[in-house]
Amino acid sequence: MKFIVTLHGETAWNIGKILQGQMDTELHEVGIASTTEKGRILYARKEKVMRIVSSDLMRSIQTAEIINQFLHVPSETDARLRECSYGSLEGLNKYHIEIERVLGHAWQESYEDYDYHEYGGEDYSDVLSRHIELLDDLKRRYARDIILLVGHGRSMNTLLHLLDQKNVHMKRDEIRCVEY
């Protein structure tokens, strides 16, 4: 099955380097503008998106709604596309998290081996199991559709790692086509 994958637009917290995780934040004006451009690009593609599935967090919902102003396709939200939970690290500036790392706490940049359980968050296998369950469900329900998935940085890069993408680190304005 074919999926097109993208990240939510930029938020004020992204700009401020504040770890969002599963906290509900909204798009910044820059994120709205870049998402509008992403909608134009997706509209012009040869392979047409037939459905949008986004995380149920506001920044992804807003991204999906803006893109859908161009695509006019069925859209739904799914909590299984949420960002990795970072537990008590959520809401902290990444500078403060780096200080904690220096003091002995773990901040992992890897998309293939991370664990935030000590902070009350998730690890790689938690995020991956949510995504596999979602992809299997979508494949069962919409086998012939090309689906746009709108999600978050760490969780989508975890998904790309599962799908054996060579360049795992997806950029905010990037759009990728993957097979599952």
Side-chain angles (χ1 to χ4, degrees):
M1 179 168 188
K2 199 170 280 191
F3 292 95
I4 297 174
V5 179
T6 195
L7 302 179
H8 66 77
E10 191 169 53
T11 68
W13 283 31
N14 291 131
I15 294 168
K17 305 248 184 265
I18 299 170
L19 195 59
Q20 295 169 99
Q22 294 190 5
M23 295 184 86
D24 220 4
T25 58
E26 296 186 0
L27 295 184
H28 183 271
E29 61 192 38
V30 173
I32 292 170
S34 64
T35 299
T36 300
E37 182 57 26
K38 202 182 288 187
R40 286 187 185 102
I41 291 167
L42 285 164
Y43 177 76
R45 285 179 72 110
K46 268 188 179 180
E47 292 178 308
K48 297 298 182 193
V49 170
M50 302 160 90
R51 176 173 305 281
I52 299 172
V53 179
S54 78
S55 157
D56 65 341
L57 296 174
M58 185 52 68
R59 56 196 184 268
S60 288
I61 292 171
Q62 288 176 307
T63 299
E65 288 173 347
I66 292 167
I67 289 171
N68 209 17
Q69 291 174 4
F70 296 90
L71 303 181
H72 306 287
V73 296
S75 182
E76 61 189 79
T77 62
D78 197 301
R80 293 173 290 187
L81 273 178
R82 281 184 169 210
E83 178 60 298
C84 171
S85 170
Y86 300 108
S88 62
L89 295 177
E90 293 180 6
L92 295 179
N93 180 287
K94 288 185 181 180
Y95 171 75
H96 294 112
I97 295 169
E98 279 299 307
I99 290 171
E100 284 195 32
R101 183 186 62 79
V102 170
L103 296 175
H105 300 280
W107 170 249
Q108 302 103 7
E109 288 294 332
S110 169
Y111 295 117
E112 58 199 63
D113 182 27
Y114 55 86
D115 184 350
Y116 296 98
H117 284 150
E118 77 175 282
Y119 302 102
E122 295 178 297
D123 69 7
Y124 176 84
S125 64
D126 296 328
V127 174
L128 200 55
S129 66
R130 283 194 279 121
H131 283 161
I132 290 169
E133 181 183 309
L134 172 67
L135 294 182
D136 288 344
D137 185 30
L138 293 174
K139 193 172 188 177
R140 191 172 41 258
R141 291 172 34 212
Y142 310 115
R144 294 193 170 119
D145 287 3
I146 297 173
I147 298 176
L148 173 65
L149 299 176
V150 180
H152 308 271
R154 180 169 300 271
S155 67
M156 283 308 214
N157 282 299
T158 299
L159 175 62
L160 292 173
H161 181 258
L162 164 73
L163 299 174
D164 201 28
Q165 293 283 301
K166 301 285 186 234
N167 180 10
V168 174
H169 188 74
M170 185 173 203
K171 295 178 179 68
R172 179 129 343 261
D173 293 329
E174 196 173 343
I175 299 167
R176 290 202 196 169
C177 188
V178 297
E179 297 275 341
Y180 178 74

